[in-house]
């Protein structure tokens, strides 16, 4: 019976007008879309056109460079698809500033609700005018959420008019909206959120996609793909050092780029199947046909955006730990092989902190972690060591004012370390640039002003 249902669905899906780089064509889809993964990445490209909004805060942050930022995010998303063996490509149909109340524009959830309720006054009209198959709005929100999208596939039966047939994305046409945060959020977020709009869920452990196999994938303590939740594959979360690395790839059992393992599980495995590339290959063909207007060719990369594989790879070897303070776990630590190169802070007295963790080629470090012990503005107000590298921070006390550095031994390559200028919540961050943090000094009330000791 299950095979018969698949064949019945296939009869509908095999014939479809498809938007391609050269216009429209009517073709029969490969049978592998139903019975296996199309992981070659070398087939006919499927172009999805984006209507990209951005808020006043984003415009002000990028000061005339917003077009370059948009191009970079789209190019990054396309590279993630290419590396994953996906034939889906995104291109910009139109960009537009949208003015929202500040209390709304700094919260991705409220921004997304505005879009879905069409309170911007544009709604579906701009999608029709410019051919926006999907709508992305860029926000300055990097605290409440780095990205949000309607859980396409999970809404089945909960909203009027939403189909309950697996794989039927047609009825989601008016829910193709996502909010993507910038600031300290990473560049993979657009790929993550548009993946949701194509019907892919985070994980079988937490939610459901438009197909059972439309989900992320991971390996215990080793890696997760671009849509997976970190905690699903983090042993003894959050107290273990076995933090899985986020790989900028969609799940696909046909590629072996995930620490030597397959990047997914066959869609025919009813319990563990994870093949986002196959699932998206089916839904994207429908989404790409939502609106007919489209640019003739995909966007070209701007000079400021990475244009070669090597440059893109270099720009990806960092991640942020997320914000922490004295409440909760009161500590954050970089994954193995990553080192602190920047510290962000926000809130009163620089209370909330966020660590930028970078992978630096050629660094040799010890396996064991050590602690600097706690220090604050009273007494000895710093710790630095030329033979150590900071890989995490603990804090305690009011406003997170007592700090303890989590360290590893490092082979000191020589060169004098230097202290950065003092920074606090007003400046927002301190950075060692291409170097790494080997010490921290604090001063002022509640250890409010920070300086980083940087080694080249």
């Amino acid at each position: 019976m299950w095979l018969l249902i698949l064949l019945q669905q296939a009869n509908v899906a095999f014939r479809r007008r498809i938007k391609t780089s050269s216009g429209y064509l009517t073709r029969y889809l490969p049978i592998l879309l139903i019975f296996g993964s199309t992981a070659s990445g070398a087939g006919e490209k499927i172009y999805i056109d984006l209507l990209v909004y951005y808020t006043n805060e984003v415009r002000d942050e990028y000061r005339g460079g917003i077009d370059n930022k948009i191009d970079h995010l789209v190019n990054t998303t396309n590279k993630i698809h290419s590396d994953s063996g996906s034939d889906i490509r995104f291109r910009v149909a139109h960009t537009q500033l949208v003015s929202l109340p500040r209390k709304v524009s700094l919260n991705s959830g409220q921004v997304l609700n505005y879009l879905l309720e069409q309170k911007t006054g544009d709604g579906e009209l701009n999608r029709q005018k410019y051919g926006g198959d999907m709508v992305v709005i860029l926000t300055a929100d990097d605290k409440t959420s780095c990205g949000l999208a309607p859980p396409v596939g999970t809404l089945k039966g909960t909203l009027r008019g939403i189909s309950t047939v697996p794989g039927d994305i047609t009825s989601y046409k008016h829910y193709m909206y996502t909010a993507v945060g910038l600031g300290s959020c990473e560049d993979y977020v657009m790929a993550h959120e548009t993946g949701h709009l194509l019907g892919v869920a985070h994980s079988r452990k937490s939610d459901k996609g438009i197909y059972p196999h439309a989900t992320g994938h991971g390996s215990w303590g080793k890696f997760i793909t671009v849509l997976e939740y970190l905690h699903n594959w983090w042993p003894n979360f959050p107290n273990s050092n076995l933090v899985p690395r986020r790989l900028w790839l969609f799940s696909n059992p046909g590629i072996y780029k995930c620490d030597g393992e397959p990047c997914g599980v066959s869609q025919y495995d009813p319990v563990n199947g994870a093949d986002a590339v196959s699932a998206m290959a089916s839904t994207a063909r429908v989404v790409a046909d939502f609106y007919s207007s489209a640019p003739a060719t995909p966007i070209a990369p701007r000079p400021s955006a990475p244009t070669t594989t090597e440059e893109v790879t270099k720009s990806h070897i960092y991640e942020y730990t997320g914000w922490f303070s004295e409440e909760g776990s009161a500590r954050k630590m970089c994954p193995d092989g990553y080192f602190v190169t920047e510290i962000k802070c926000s809130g009163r007295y620089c209370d909330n902190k966020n660590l930028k963790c970078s992978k630096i080629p050629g660094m040799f470090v010890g396996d064991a972690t050590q602690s600097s012990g706690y220090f604050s503005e009273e007494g000895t107000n710093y710790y630095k060591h030329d033979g150590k590298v900071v890989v995490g921070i603990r804090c305690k006390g009011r406003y997170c004012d007592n700090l303890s550095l989590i360290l590893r031994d490092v082979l000191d390559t020589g060169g004098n370390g230097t202290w950065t200028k003092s920074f606090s919540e007003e400046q927002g961050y301190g950075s060692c640039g291409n170097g790494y943090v080997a010490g921290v000094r604090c001063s002022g009330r509640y250890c409010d002003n920070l300086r980083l000791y940087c080694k080249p």
Side-chain angles (χ1 to χ4, degrees), residues 71-238:
D71 287 358
H72 174 68
L73 292 174
V74 174
N75 288 328
T76 300
T77 299
N78 286 338
K79 185 177 188 303
I80 292 173
H81 275 273
S82 176
D83 289 348
S84 304
S86 166
D87 290 326
I88 299 165
R89 299 293 183 269
F90 292 87
R91 55 190 180 185
V92 177
H94 179 68
T95 65
Q96 182 174 318
L97 173 68
V98 57
S99 294
L100 300 174
R102 183 173 174 81
K103 66 179 182 180
V104 172
S105 64
L106 292 179
N107 184 294
S108 291
Q110 293 188 39
V111 169
L112 186 59
N113 285 336
Y114 249 69
L115 287 178
L116 290 172
E117 295 170 11
Q118 303 179 24
K119 289 183 177 178
T120 61
D122 299 314
E124 295 294 283
L125 296 178
N126 269 353
R127 291 185 69 190
Q128 296 173 22
K129 180 178 180 180
Y130 298 107
D133 301 312
M134 291 182 179
V135 179
V136 176
I137 184 164
L138 304 179
T139 80
D141 182 10
D142 60 0
K143 295 179 176 61
T144 62
S145 176
C146 277
L148 288 171
V152 172
T154 306
L155 295 175
K156 292 180 294 190
T158 63
L159 294 176
R160 184 177 180 182
I162 296 297
S163 172
T164 58
V165 178
D168 184 1
I169 201 168
T170 306
S171 57
Y172 291 92
K173 179 176 181 177
H174 301 300
Y175 292 90
M176 292 286 118
Y177 291 83
T178 178
V180 172
L182 301 181
S184 64
C185 300
E186 295 191 68
D187 291 342
Y188 74 81
V189 174
M190 182 180 284
H192 179 109
E193 299 304 334
T194 53
H196 284 322
L197 295 185
L198 290 171
V200 183
H202 294 111
S203 173
R204 280 180 175 266
K205 298 172 183 282
S206 54
D207 48 359
K208 296 179 180 180
I210 202 161
Y211 295 106
H213 60 276
T215 182
H217 179 60
S219 182
W220 199 240
K222 296 178 66 176
F223 70 84
I224 55 173
T225 55
V226 75
L227 271 156
E228 256 290 2
Y229 279 137
L230 189 67
H231 63 263
N232 282 333
W233 301 93
W234 184 343
N236 196 26
F237 172 84

Side-chain angles (χ1 to χ4, degrees), residues 230-287:
L230 189 67
H231 63 263
N232 282 333
W233 301 93
W234 184 343
N236 196 26
F237 172 84
N239 300 314
S240 166
N241 291 336
L242 295 175
V243 185
R245 296 188 303 124
R246 181 178 297 279
L247 302 178
W248 291 25
L249 296 165
F250 290 104
S251 62
N252 180 352
I255 61 173
Y256 286 73
K257 298 181 179 180
C258 295
D259 290 346
E261 298 182 19
C263 293
V265 179
S266 170
Q267 60 182 290
Y268 306 115
D269 185 328
V271 177
N272 300 306
D275 189 350
V277 169
S278 176
M280 292 188 297
S282 176
T283 57
R285 297 177 187 278
V286 179
V287 173

Side-chain angles (χ1 to χ4, degrees), residues 366-383:
D367 294 328
T369 58
Q370 306 142 45
S371 173
S372 68
Y374 283 97
F375 60 92
S376 190
E377 73 274 9
E378 307 96 351
T380 302
N381 65 337
Y382 73 96
Y383 176 92

Side-chain angles (χ1 to χ4, degrees), residues 343-363:
I343 298 177
K344 292 178 179 285
C345 77
S346 66
R348 193 177 185 188
Y349 299 116
C350 210
D351 178 37
N352 306 299
K353 296 174 177 62
N354 191 354
L355 311 180
K356 181 179 181 179
C357 301
S358 302
K359 179 172 284 188
I360 303 176
M363 281 194 64

